[in-house]
Amino acid sequence: MDSTTAAIFVQNRQYGGDLTIKAVNVTGIQTQMYGKGALSIEATGKIAAHRSSGQTSVGIRANSQAANGGMKVTVDKGASVEGDTGGIIVQSAGGGGITINNAGSVSITNASAGRFAGRPGAIDAKLTGDGDINITSSGTVTDASLNHWVSMPCIPAPTAARRKTATSPST
C-alpha cells in the first residue's frame, strides 16, 4: 500500500502490539498488521473514499498477518463508510478472527467503478487464519453495482472450529 492512498495509513510492523483507530470525517483508512497485536477500527463519523478525492476508493481496508490479535471494525450509529469500489474490506491470515459491527451505513457508491479485486459486497471479510468471521448489521448496507450486501469466504471451508455468520434486520 502507498502511504498517499488514505487519510489514515498505518503499518504495524513485526514487533508492534495492539492498534486502535477511532476516526471521524476522513477520506479513507488503510492498515497493515504484521505484529502480534489486535486491530480495532471505529468509524464515528463519515469515512468517504472516492477516486475523485485522490484517495483510495475503499472506505476502510484492513489487512493482517498478525499471529494473535484478531480484527474488529465498528461503524457507530449515525456514522457512514463509503467508497467507489468497496465500503469495508477486511482480510486476515492471522489468528483471532474478524468481527464487523455496523450500526450506521456502509456503501459502494459508484456502480460504474467496477469491483475491487473481484470483491462482490459492500462489506467483505476474508479469513485464512484461525478464528471466526462475525458480521452484524443493524444499520444499512448498500451496493450500487451488485446485489450482494456481504461477502465472507473462509479458506478452507468452514468447520465447527471455523464459522462465519452474518445478521441483518429483516425487510
Side-chain angles (χ1 to χ4, degrees):
M1 286 183 269
D2 183 342
S3 62
T4 63
T5 60
I8 297 176
F9 174 81
V10 180
Q11 284 188 333
N12 192 352
R13 291 309 212 171
Q14 182 178 358
Y15 300 107
D18 293 350
L19 173 62
T20 301
I21 298 170
K22 193 169 190 174
V24 60
N25 301 332
V26 298
T27 54
I29 298 171
Q30 289 188 29
T31 64
Q32 183 67 53
M33 297 287 290
Y34 297 105
K36 294 182 180 179
L39 171 66
S40 175
I41 299 172
E42 182 178 3
T44 61
K46 186 174 185 175
I47 312 299
H50 303 286
R51 290 193 189 275
S52 61
S53 66
Q55 304 297 326
T56 180
S57 60
V58 176
I60 296 174
R61 183 186 334 229
N63 296 295
S64 179
Q65 304 297 319
N68 298 315
M71 302 174 79
K72 182 176 182 180
V73 175
T74 302
V75 181
D76 290 344
K77 186 174 183 177
S80 64
V81 176
E82 62 184 51
D84 288 338
T85 58
I88 298 172
I89 297 176
V90 180
Q91 299 176 322
S92 177
I98 296 171
T99 300
I100 299 172
N101 295 314
N102 173 40
S105 67
V106 178
S107 60
I108 294 177
T109 57
N110 186 347
S112 64
R115 296 193 274 184
F116 169 77
R119 302 281 186 249
I123 297 176
D124 179 73
K126 180 180 180 183
L127 178 65
T128 58
D130 295 330
D132 299 334
I133 296 175
N134 293 293
I135 299 173
T136 303
S137 180
S138 59
T140 59
V141 181
T142 307
D143 186 333
S145 60
L146 300 160
N147 59 7
H148 299 88
W149 77 272
V150 66
S151 169
M152 11 177 240
C154 279
I155 303 169
T159 65
R162 178 187 298 245
R163 296 178 307 275
K164 57 184 181 177
T165 60
T167 58
S168 180
S170 58
T171 55

